[in-house]
Protein backbone atom coordinates (compact mmCIF):
# COMPACT_ATOMS: atom_id res chain seq x y z
CA UNK A 1 0.00 0.00 0.00
CA UNK A 2 1.32 3.45 -0.94
CA UNK A 3 -0.02 6.89 -0.12
CA UNK A 4 -1.62 9.88 -1.82
CA UNK A 5 0.96 12.12 -3.49
CA UNK A 6 0.75 14.98 -5.95
CA UNK A 7 3.52 16.94 -7.62
CA UNK A 8 2.92 20.58 -8.49
CA UNK A 9 5.00 21.70 -11.47
CA UNK A 10 5.98 25.31 -12.19
CA UNK A 11 7.64 27.15 -15.05
CA UNK A 12 9.25 29.48 -12.49
CA UNK A 13 10.07 28.79 -8.82
CA UNK A 14 6.93 29.38 -6.72
CA UNK A 15 6.80 31.84 -3.83
CA UNK A 16 4.50 31.10 -0.90
CA UNK A 17 4.03 31.63 2.82
CA UNK A 18 3.31 28.40 4.76
CA UNK A 19 1.07 30.35 7.14
CA UNK A 20 -1.10 31.55 4.25
CA UNK A 21 -1.33 28.01 2.85
CA UNK A 22 -2.31 26.67 6.28
CA UNK A 23 -4.93 29.39 6.80
CA UNK A 24 -6.62 28.60 3.49
CA UNK A 25 -6.49 24.85 4.20
CA UNK A 26 -8.08 25.48 7.60
CA UNK A 27 -10.86 27.41 5.90
CA UNK A 28 -11.49 24.67 3.35
CA UNK A 29 -11.35 21.84 5.90
CA UNK A 30 -13.07 23.75 8.71
CA UNK A 31 -10.42 22.43 11.08
CA UNK A 32 -7.41 23.77 12.95
CA UNK A 33 -4.00 22.98 11.46
CA UNK A 34 -0.62 23.25 13.14
CA UNK A 35 2.27 24.30 10.92
CA UNK A 36 5.81 23.03 11.42
CA UNK A 37 8.45 24.79 9.32
CA UNK A 38 12.14 23.76 9.36
CA UNK A 39 14.69 26.49 10.03
CA UNK A 40 16.48 25.84 6.74
CA UNK A 41 14.14 27.99 4.67
CA UNK A 42 13.97 25.22 2.08
CA UNK A 43 10.25 25.60 1.45
CA UNK A 44 9.55 22.26 3.08
CA UNK A 45 6.96 22.22 5.88
CA UNK A 46 4.34 20.07 7.61
CA UNK A 47 0.65 20.66 8.19
CA UNK A 48 -0.56 18.66 11.21
CA UNK A 49 -4.25 17.82 11.45
CA UNK A 50 -4.56 17.87 15.24
CA UNK A 51 -8.31 17.20 15.38
CA UNK A 52 -7.94 13.86 13.64
CA UNK A 53 -5.76 11.95 16.11
CA UNK A 54 -5.57 8.19 15.66
CA UNK A 55 -4.34 5.48 18.00
CA UNK A 56 -1.45 3.47 16.61
CA UNK A 57 0.97 0.96 18.05
CA UNK A 58 3.49 3.69 18.89
CA UNK A 59 0.81 5.84 20.56
CA UNK A 60 -1.54 8.61 19.57
CA UNK A 61 -0.47 10.37 16.36
CA UNK A 62 -1.89 13.12 14.19
CA UNK A 63 -2.08 12.66 10.41
CA UNK A 64 0.04 15.13 8.50
CA UNK A 65 0.36 16.59 5.05
CA UNK A 66 3.96 17.26 4.04
CA UNK A 67 5.09 19.79 1.45
CA UNK A 68 8.51 18.88 0.12
CA UNK A 69 10.49 21.29 -2.04
CA UNK A 70 13.35 20.35 -4.34
CA UNK A 71 15.81 22.12 -6.62
CA UNK A 72 16.16 19.04 -8.80
CA UNK A 73 15.44 19.58 -12.49
CA UNK A 74 12.43 17.71 -13.86
CA UNK A 75 13.27 14.77 -16.16
CA UNK A 76 10.31 14.40 -18.59
CA UNK A 77 11.37 10.86 -19.52
CA UNK A 78 10.43 9.58 -16.07
CA UNK A 79 6.81 10.67 -16.59
CA UNK A 80 6.11 8.74 -19.81
CA UNK A 81 3.85 6.12 -18.19
CA UNK A 82 1.84 8.76 -16.33
CA UNK A 83 1.45 10.96 -19.41
CA UNK A 84 0.14 7.95 -21.36
CA UNK A 85 -2.73 7.56 -18.86
CA UNK A 86 -3.62 11.28 -18.60
CA UNK A 87 -6.86 11.24 -20.55
CA UNK A 88 -8.06 14.71 -19.50
CA UNK A 89 -4.82 16.62 -20.19
CA UNK A 90 -4.01 16.66 -23.90
CA UNK A 91 -0.74 18.59 -23.58
CA UNK A 92 0.56 16.75 -20.50
CA UNK A 93 3.94 16.08 -22.10
CA UNK A 94 4.49 19.74 -23.03
CA UNK A 95 3.56 20.89 -19.55
CA UNK A 96 5.99 18.48 -17.92
CA UNK A 97 8.75 19.43 -20.35
CA UNK A 98 8.32 23.12 -19.48
CA UNK A 99 8.62 22.41 -15.75
CA UNK A 100 11.53 24.15 -14.03
CA UNK A 101 10.64 23.42 -10.42
CA UNK A 102 8.29 21.09 -8.57
CA UNK A 103 6.83 20.53 -5.11
CA UNK A 104 5.56 17.27 -3.66
CA UNK A 105 2.45 17.19 -1.48
CA UNK A 106 2.07 13.90 0.38
CA UNK A 107 0.14 12.52 3.32
CA UNK A 108 1.92 11.04 6.33
CA UNK A 109 0.89 8.88 9.30
CA UNK A 110 -2.60 8.26 7.92
CA UNK A 111 -2.16 4.71 6.63
CA UNK A 112 -0.93 1.24 7.39
CA UNK A 113 -3.04 -0.15 10.23
CA UNK A 114 -6.64 -1.22 10.72
CA UNK A 115 -7.19 1.77 13.02
CA UNK A 116 -5.75 4.27 10.54
CA UNK A 117 -7.70 7.26 9.32
CA UNK A 118 -10.80 6.31 7.33
CA UNK A 119 -10.49 6.52 3.51
CA UNK A 120 -13.07 9.31 3.20
CA UNK A 121 -11.28 11.45 5.76
CA UNK A 122 -7.85 10.77 4.28
CA UNK A 123 -8.92 11.89 0.84
CA UNK A 124 -10.72 14.96 2.25
CA UNK A 125 -7.68 16.16 4.20
CA UNK A 126 -5.33 15.58 1.28
CA UNK A 127 -7.47 17.51 -1.17
CA UNK A 128 -8.09 20.33 1.27
CA UNK A 129 -4.36 21.07 1.45
CA UNK A 130 -3.85 20.45 -2.27
CA UNK A 131 -6.65 22.82 -3.22
CA UNK A 132 -5.18 25.55 -1.01
CA UNK A 133 -1.75 25.13 -2.58
CA UNK A 134 -3.06 25.13 -6.15
CA UNK A 135 -5.18 28.24 -5.54
CA UNK A 136 -2.32 30.23 -4.03
CA UNK A 137 0.71 29.13 -6.07
CA UNK A 138 -0.94 28.57 -9.50
CA UNK A 139 1.16 25.69 -10.86
CA UNK A 140 1.44 24.82 -14.53
CA UNK A 141 0.52 21.16 -14.02
CA UNK A 142 -0.49 18.71 -11.29
CA UNK A 143 0.94 15.21 -11.44
CA UNK A 144 -1.02 12.78 -9.28
CA UNK A 145 1.49 10.07 -8.47
CA UNK A 146 -1.00 7.75 -6.74
CA UNK A 147 -3.65 7.79 -9.49
CA UNK A 148 -1.11 8.18 -12.30
CA UNK A 149 -2.39 11.17 -14.23
CA UNK A 150 -1.55 14.76 -15.12
CA UNK A 151 -4.27 17.39 -14.61
CA UNK A 152 -4.79 20.99 -15.60
CA UNK A 153 -4.73 23.12 -12.41
CA UNK A 154 -7.80 25.15 -13.44
CA UNK A 155 -9.71 21.98 -14.29
CA UNK A 156 -8.73 20.58 -10.91
CA UNK A 157 -10.02 23.69 -9.13
CA UNK A 158 -13.29 23.43 -11.05
CA UNK A 159 -13.63 19.84 -9.84
CA UNK A 160 -13.20 20.98 -6.23
CA UNK A 161 -16.89 21.86 -6.22
CA UNK A 162 -17.48 18.10 -6.09
CA UNK A 163 -16.93 15.61 -3.28
CA UNK A 164 -13.22 14.72 -2.90
CA UNK A 165 -13.65 11.25 -4.41
CA UNK A 166 -15.07 12.85 -7.60
CA UNK A 167 -12.27 15.40 -8.02
CA UNK A 168 -9.58 15.11 -10.64
CA UNK A 169 -6.72 13.02 -9.33
CA UNK A 170 -8.66 10.91 -6.86
CA UNK A 171 -9.35 7.99 -9.20
CA UNK A 172 -8.05 7.07 -12.62
CA UNK A 173 -8.83 4.21 -14.99
CA UNK A 174 -5.82 3.06 -16.99
CA UNK A 175 -6.00 1.31 -20.35
CA UNK A 176 -3.52 -1.16 -21.85
CA UNK A 177 -3.78 -2.83 -25.25
CA UNK A 178 -2.07 -6.21 -25.37
CA UNK A 179 -3.04 -7.20 -28.90
CA UNK A 180 -1.03 -9.55 -31.05
CA UNK A 181 -1.56 -11.41 -34.32
CA UNK A 182 -4.03 -13.82 -32.67
CA UNK A 183 -5.89 -11.77 -30.05
CA UNK A 184 -7.15 -8.26 -29.39
CA UNK A 185 -6.96 -8.37 -25.61
CA UNK A 186 -7.26 -5.31 -23.42
CA UNK A 187 -6.64 -4.59 -19.76
CA UNK A 188 -8.09 -1.79 -17.67
CA UNK A 189 -7.51 -1.09 -14.01
CA UNK A 190 -8.06 1.62 -11.43
CA UNK A 191 -5.51 3.67 -9.55
CA UNK A 192 -6.23 5.56 -6.35
CA UNK A 193 -8.11 3.11 -4.12
CA UNK A 194 -5.13 1.10 -2.90
CA UNK A 195 -3.51 4.29 -1.64
CA UNK A 196 -6.40 5.01 0.74
CA UNK A 197 -6.70 1.50 2.16
CA UNK A 198 -9.10 -0.10 -0.33
CA UNK A 199 -8.62 -2.48 -3.27
CA UNK A 200 -8.14 -1.31 -6.84
CA UNK A 201 -10.00 -3.09 -9.65
CA UNK A 202 -8.98 -4.66 -12.95
CA UNK A 203 -10.66 -6.23 -15.99
CA UNK A 204 -8.80 -8.35 -18.57
CA UNK A 205 -11.10 -8.62 -21.58
CA UNK A 206 -11.74 -8.66 -25.32
CA UNK A 207 -14.59 -7.62 -27.65
CA UNK A 208 -16.08 -5.08 -25.22
CA UNK A 209 -16.24 -1.30 -25.57
CA UNK A 210 -13.45 0.16 -23.39
CA UNK A 211 -15.62 3.22 -22.69
CA UNK A 212 -18.30 0.99 -21.17
CA UNK A 213 -15.70 -0.90 -19.14
CA UNK A 214 -14.22 2.39 -17.90
CA UNK A 215 -17.63 3.60 -16.69
CA UNK A 216 -18.18 0.29 -14.90
CA UNK A 217 -14.80 0.50 -13.17
CA UNK A 218 -15.44 4.08 -12.05
CA UNK A 219 -18.89 3.29 -10.68
CA UNK A 220 -17.70 0.13 -8.91
CA UNK A 221 -14.71 1.96 -7.42
CA UNK A 222 -16.96 4.71 -6.11
CA UNK A 223 -19.37 2.13 -4.67
CA UNK A 224 -16.50 0.50 -2.77
CA UNK A 225 -15.34 3.91 -1.52
CA UNK A 226 -18.81 4.79 -0.25
CA UNK A 227 -19.76 1.38 1.17
CA UNK A 228 -16.49 -0.03 2.44
CA UNK A 229 -14.03 -2.73 1.33
CA UNK A 230 -15.03 -6.01 -0.27
CA UNK A 231 -14.47 -8.81 2.25
CA UNK A 232 -13.84 -11.68 -0.13
CA UNK A 233 -14.13 -13.20 -3.59
CA UNK A 234 -17.37 -14.50 -5.02
CA UNK A 235 -19.45 -11.34 -5.28
CA UNK A 236 -20.84 -10.10 -8.60
CA UNK A 237 -21.44 -6.77 -10.33
CA UNK A 238 -23.72 -5.94 -13.24
CA UNK A 239 -21.70 -6.18 -16.45
CA UNK A 240 -21.62 -3.89 -19.47
CA UNK A 241 -23.74 -6.25 -21.58
CA UNK A 242 -27.47 -6.29 -20.69
CA UNK A 243 -28.44 -8.97 -18.14
CA UNK A 244 -24.81 -9.97 -17.57
CA UNK A 245 -23.10 -10.39 -14.21
CA UNK A 246 -19.35 -10.33 -13.68
CA UNK A 247 -17.88 -12.34 -10.86
CA UNK A 248 -15.20 -10.84 -8.60
CA UNK A 249 -12.13 -12.43 -7.10
CA UNK A 250 -8.90 -11.23 -5.54
CA UNK A 251 -5.76 -11.62 -7.64
CA UNK A 252 -2.32 -10.14 -8.02
CA UNK A 253 -2.34 -7.09 -10.29
CA UNK A 254 -1.33 -7.87 -13.87
CA UNK A 255 0.50 -4.54 -14.28
CA UNK A 256 2.59 -2.43 -11.93
CA UNK A 257 2.44 -1.47 -9.18
CA UNK A 258 2.34 -4.84 -7.45
CA UNK A 259 -0.75 -5.05 -5.25
CA UNK A 260 -3.65 -7.32 -4.39
CA UNK A 261 -6.51 -6.29 -6.66
CA UNK A 262 -10.19 -7.12 -7.20
CA UNK A 263 -10.51 -8.71 -10.63
CA UNK A 264 -13.85 -8.46 -12.46
CA UNK A 265 -14.45 -11.46 -14.74
CA UNK A 266 -16.70 -10.66 -17.73
CA UNK A 267 -17.34 -14.35 -18.46
CA UNK A 268 -16.13 -16.90 -21.03
CA UNK A 269 -17.07 -14.90 -24.13
CA UNK A 270 -15.30 -11.71 -23.15
CA UNK A 271 -12.71 -12.77 -20.59
CA UNK A 272 -9.03 -12.77 -21.56
CA UNK A 273 -6.10 -14.48 -19.88
CA UNK A 274 -6.11 -16.92 -16.99
CA UNK A 275 -7.44 -16.04 -13.56
CA UNK A 276 -5.97 -17.52 -10.41
CA UNK A 277 -7.32 -16.51 -7.04
CA UNK A 278 -4.70 -15.10 -4.67
CA UNK A 279 -4.64 -14.53 -0.96
CA UNK A 280 -6.53 -11.47 0.24
CA UNK A 281 -4.08 -9.22 2.08
Amino acid sequence: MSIQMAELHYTTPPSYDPAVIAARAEELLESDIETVTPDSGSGTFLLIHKKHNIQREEGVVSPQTAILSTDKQTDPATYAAIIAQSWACNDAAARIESSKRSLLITEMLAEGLADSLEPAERIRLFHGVLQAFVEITQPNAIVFKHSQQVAYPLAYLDSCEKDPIDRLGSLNVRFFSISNSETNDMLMDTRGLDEIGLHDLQVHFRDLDPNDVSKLLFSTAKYIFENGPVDGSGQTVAGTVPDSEWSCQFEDALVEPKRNILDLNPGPIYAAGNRETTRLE
Side-chain angles (χ1 to χ4, degrees):
M1 181 188 300
S2 55
I3 55 178
Q4 298 177 96
M5 294 189 295
E7 285 181 353
L8 303 186
H9 286 256
Y10 303 85
T11 55
T12 59
S15 176
Y16 53 89
D17 182 345
V20 174
I21 300 289
R24 178 56 177 153
E26 284 184 329
E27 182 181 8
L28 291 168
L29 295 171
E30 300 180 342
S31 179
D32 294 336
I33 295 175
E34 179 182 332
T35 306
V36 177
T37 305
D39 296 331
S40 63
S42 64
T44 294
F45 64 98
L46 296 175
L47 300 179
I48 304 176
H49 306 282
K50 282 291 191 179
K51 289 190 175 180
H52 298 80
N53 289 345
I54 50 179
Q55 181 68 47
R56 299 184 63 162
E57 292 177 348
E58 64 270 31
V60 177
V61 298
S62 299
Q64 305 171 10
T65 307
I67 289 80
L68 307 175
S69 180
T70 177
D71 293 331
K72 185 178 180 180
Q73 186 73 23
T74 299
D75 180 5
T78 63
Y79 294 86
I82 293 177
I83 290 170
Q85 303 294 340
S86 299
W87 313 114
C89 188
N90 294 330
D91 61 345
R95 287 177 177 261
I96 296 301
E97 289 173 359
S98 66
S99 176
K100 304 301 181 184
R101 188 68 59 86
S102 65
L103 296 169
L104 179 66
I105 297 178
T106 179
E107 60 178 348
M108 298 175 63
L109 302 179
E111 82 297 338
L113 296 173
D115 54 1
S116 297
L117 204 63
E118 289 295 321
E121 198 61 10
R122 285 180 61 182
I123 200 171
R124 190 181 77 88
L125 294 180
F126 178 78
H127 278 278
V129 174
L130 178 61
Q131 179 181 344
F133 228 102
V134 173
E135 288 178 352
I136 292 168
T137 65
Q138 300 181 12
N140 186 52
I142 309 172
V143 179
F144 290 94
K145 306 288 281 188
H146 58 285
S147 58
Q148 197 169 39
Q149 58 188 308
V150 182
Y152 295 114
L154 290 180
Y156 170 74
L157 291 179
D158 287 343
S159 76
C160 287
E161 297 179 0
K162 304 176 182 178
D163 291 338
I165 189 61
D166 293 318
R167 297 181 186 182
L168 285 176
S170 295
L171 289 171
N172 191 24
V173 172
R174 301 188 298 176
F175 173 81
F176 303 91
S177 176
I178 44 181
S179 303
N180 55 44
S181 59
E182 298 180 357
T183 64
N184 187 30
D185 294 354
M186 292 167 278
L187 175 73
M188 302 185 80
D189 71 358
T190 66
R191 288 297 310 273
L193 288 182
D194 184 73
E195 287 74 12
I196 55 174
L198 300 169
H199 284 86
D200 276 315
L201 313 169
Q202 75 179 12
V203 182
H204 192 193
F205 64 99
R206 60 171 65 99
D207 299 330
L208 292 171
D209 187 337
N211 292 319
D212 293 338
V213 177
S214 176
K215 292 176 184 177
L216 175 60
L217 286 174
F218 266 118
S219 62
T220 305
K222 189 172 179 181
Y223 178 86
I224 290 173
F225 175 81
E226 293 173 344
N227 294 277
V230 176
D231 293 328
S233 299
Q235 301 188 38
T236 60
V237 299
T240 62
V241 178
D243 301 322
S244 66
E245 287 192 345
W246 295 5
S247 60
C248 307
Q249 67 182 42
F250 288 102
E251 295 192 351
D252 291 330
L254 292 174
V255 292
E256 294 290 338
K258 294 180 180 179
R259 64 211 191 279
N260 200 237
I261 204 166
L262 189 64
D263 180 89
L264 309 184
N265 186 346
I269 298 177
Y270 303 108
N274 297 316
R275 287 168 165 80
E276 296 181 0
T277 304
T278 60
R279 179 174 60 89
L280 174 59
E281 298 176 348

